[in-house]
Amino acid sequence: MTGPLWTSAEAEAATGGRATMPFDVSGISIDSRDIAQGDLFVALSDVRDGHEFVAAAIRGGAVAALVTHRPDTVADEFPLLIVDDTLKALESMGQTARERITGKVVGVTGSVGKTGVKEMLRVCLSAAGPTHAAVKSFNNHWGVPLTLARIPHGTEFAAIEMGMNHPGEIGPLSRMARPDVAIITTIAPVHMAAFKDLSGIADAKAEIFEGLVPGGTAILNMDNAYFGQLKVKAEAAGANIVAFGSDASADICLEQAHITAGATVVKARMHEAPLVFKLSAPGEHLALNALAALAATEAAGGDLARAALAISNWNPPDGRGSRWTISIGETGIDGSITLIDESYNANPTSVRAALAVLGASEPADHYGRVDEGRRIAFLGDMLELGADEVALHAGLAECPEMAKVDTVHTCGPLMKALHEALPPAQRGTWFKTSRDMADRVGRKLDAGDVAMIKGSLGSDMAVVVDAVRRMGKAVREGT
């Protein structure tokens, strides 16, 4: 990026606010803990009032702050942009940033796979030109405007992730982002507590079409049961429909996904032309996500051939399938454990996908106390599943992806249903909390094992991941 991201005059014009003195900023942050030198700090109010952290942001390198008033801890000579409402001001900056770029915007939503697809898009679109995407899962009412407001001048492509917990949340985000291309990865039982049924979730995800630019493209999963419902919504918005999936009639058809312990070789057909590429991570669900990303890349005017080559550089984000090798003993002389970190979130669909990846992994024999390496799952509660939550947990015992898993350890009140439903040969230990599991995880693993850890964010399975990493020297694969 050349020149400032925002000048005080540009920020004033976008927000209707008043700058106490001129300033230029090179970035924007809402968290005083991750301020970079040259940032504008936005004092949002959530659990805590962001105005309490302006002084900390200044110490971290912020050169201006977006506020409703000057905090007592901030000197008169520090530049402020004073507005009536900081969130609305951030939204206005996001909308202005969207309007000032001439590049294409790809919006991504869906019950699972949003962040992975967004990161695939970052790789695919970057092969064709300067690309912007959120650094994390910034997909909510403040994350989308923040991501938009951070778009540098000269951006040719942007990938914007949009999430929701309730109906009516994606529509405003889409109208703000105005995507040229909209992806819905799939519809699955997530956040069911706020919906009557999956059809309601499909309608909520279809709100992404509310902001689609005229003549835009909708990328839809033909394998999903709600494809027809989403297609009707997209067509009503005037979208061009591009279907991906394993169905032979799909515009982008997955013909084969050859899965190994650490990769997926994908054979597909795109508009009747053959397409072959490799992903540096295992999983048929990742192959489908990649097809969605490649279809969106083409629809946005990217370079498909370069994108298909570049996507091999993609790696799953932390907590969403990232793989680690934990070397045991001095220089790894005692072997290693393979860790699949799926700790960020969970629902029945994504758990089954993660179990399939675990099943495709290859343990190593003749290293540890247990002579044969094992595939071991550590599962925490899947949250926000509604009235059927207990049955959905227990039902995982019968899913075909469970067949190649040797042992399943569980934690949390809901996962007790799965613990009780598992056959004795697979039934591991049930723990009351993830911290109890973390305290004992070292006794459940041995050199040669492959461990997969998954649960909803509120189940705090990250503490189990951390405990496994502490068992030896941890190295993230693909870095």
Side-chain angles (χ1 to χ4, degrees):
M1 181 180 69
T2 58
L5 179 66
W6 288 91
T7 66
S8 53
E10 290 170 335
E12 280 184 314
T15 63
R18 177 179 62 85
T20 59
M21 62 183 64
F23 61 79
D24 294 342
V25 298
S26 55
I28 302 176
S29 179
I30 63 169
D31 190 336
S32 62
R33 296 167 297 183
D34 66 4
I35 287 287
Q37 186 67 40
D39 274 357
L40 170 72
F41 175 69
V42 181
L44 297 179
S45 294
D46 192 20
V47 178
R48 297 277 298 275
D49 184 352
H51 292 79
E52 298 176 20
F53 302 98
V54 176
I58 295 170
R59 291 193 296 271
V63 296
L66 178 63
V67 296
T68 60
H69 61 277
R70 183 178 295 276
D72 294 337
T73 54
V74 176
D76 290 343
E77 60 270 19
F78 183 77
L80 300 176
L81 178 60
I82 300 177
V83 298
D84 292 333
D85 185 307
T86 53
L87 178 57
K88 289 182 178 179
L90 180 62
E91 291 171 351
S92 297
M93 292 179 72
Q95 290 173 314
T96 299
R98 172 63 180 95
E99 291 166 0
R100 72 187 185 187
I101 66 165
T102 58
K104 299 292 186 179
V105 172
V106 181
V108 186
T109 193
S111 298
V112 294
K114 295 185 294 296
T115 300
V117 170
K118 181 258 295 180
E119 290 302 317
M120 287 179 176
L121 284 166
R122 186 198 300 275
V123 173
C124 291
L125 294 169
S126 292
T131 298
H132 174 74
V135 292
K136 299 178 182 178
S137 295
F138 289 169
N139 61 24
N140 62 2
H141 66 287
W142 56 258
V144 169
L146 176 61
T147 300
L148 291 169
R150 286 173 165 176
I151 296 178
H153 296 274
T155 294
E156 294 184 19
F157 303 100
I160 308 297
E161 180 183 343
M162 304 177 204
M164 60 91 184
N165 293 318
H166 295 83
E169 292 181 332
I170 289 180
L173 302 180
S174 180
R175 292 192 295 274
M176 193 183 308
R178 293 193 297 110
D180 299 277
V181 182
I183 301 172
I184 299 181
T185 59
T186 194
I187 303 301
V190 184
H191 307 306
M192 287 299 294
F195 294 91
K196 181 181 178 181
D197 52 29
L198 282 172
S199 178
I201 290 181
D203 283 342
K205 296 297 184 183
E207 292 175 22
I208 195 172
F209 305 133
E210 293 180 13
L212 190 67
V213 301
T217 301
I219 312 291
L220 304 177
N221 186 343
M222 199 169 186
D223 291 350
N224 190 263
Y226 295 89
F227 170 77
Q229 180 176 336
L230 295 174
K231 182 181 179 184
V232 169
K233 295 277 189 179
E235 289 175 336
N240 301 306
I241 310 297
V242 176
F244 70 95
S246 56
D247 191 290
S249 62
D251 300 296
I252 298 91
C253 174
L254 176 64
E255 295 182 335
Q256 183 182 36
H258 179 65
I259 299 170
T260 65
T264 305
V265 178
V266 182
K267 180 182 178 183
R269 178 176 42 78
M270 193 163 187
H271 308 304
E272 304 305 325
L275 178 65
V276 179
F277 59 93
K278 180 181 178 181
L279 296 172
S280 300
E284 183 171 338
H285 63 297
L286 298 180
L288 287 169
N289 287 347
L291 292 185
L294 290 170
T297 297
E298 182 184 57
D303 189 313
L304 182 61
R306 289 183 179 179
L309 290 172
I311 203 168
S312 64
N313 298 319
W314 172 85
N315 284 291
D318 286 342
R320 295 178 173 87
S322 56
R323 298 172 71 92
W324 295 75
T325 298
I326 318 298
S327 299
I328 309 298
E330 193 75 23
T331 67
I333 194 171
D334 296 324
S336 63
I337 294 166
T338 298
L339 167 64
I340 304 171
D341 177 9
E342 286 274 5
S343 61
Y344 187 80
N345 221 334
N347 57 71
T349 300
S350 64
V351 170
R352 290 183 61 175
L355 290 171
V357 171
L358 177 61
S361 298
E362 294 295 335
D365 298 335
H366 314 306
Y367 275 104
R369 300 181 305 274
V370 180
D371 193 48
E372 293 186 358
R374 302 160 296 176
R375 301 177 182 92
I376 304 177
F378 296 85
L379 302 179
D381 286 349
M382 304 179 292
L383 304 178
E384 298 183 49
L385 295 182
D388 296 330
E389 58 184 6
V390 173
L392 289 169
H393 282 76
L396 291 173
E398 303 297 327
C399 72
E401 293 85 357
M402 191 68 81
K404 295 185 72 174
V405 179
D406 295 297
T407 306
V408 181
H409 301 292
T410 55
C411 66
L414 295 172
M415 270 298 168
K416 193 165 190 179
L418 173 60
H419 174 77
E420 294 171 349
L422 287 165
Q426 280 184 310
R427 188 184 302 142
T429 302
W430 174 79
F431 298 91
K432 186 176 181 180
T433 69
S434 60
R435 293 192 177 276
D436 294 336
M437 177 181 278
D439 289 342
R440 297 282 300 279
V441 71
R443 305 179 193 181
K444 303 297 183 182
L445 288 171
D446 200 4
D449 291 342
V450 181
M452 186 275 288
I453 301 172
K454 191 165 183 66
S456 287
L457 188 61
S459 299
D460 197 19
M461 296 301 286
V463 299
V464 185
V465 171
D466 291 341
V468 175
R469 288 177 184 164
R470 290 195 297 268
M471 292 178 66
K473 181 180 179 180
V475 177
R476 193 185 194 279
E477 296 179 11
T479 59

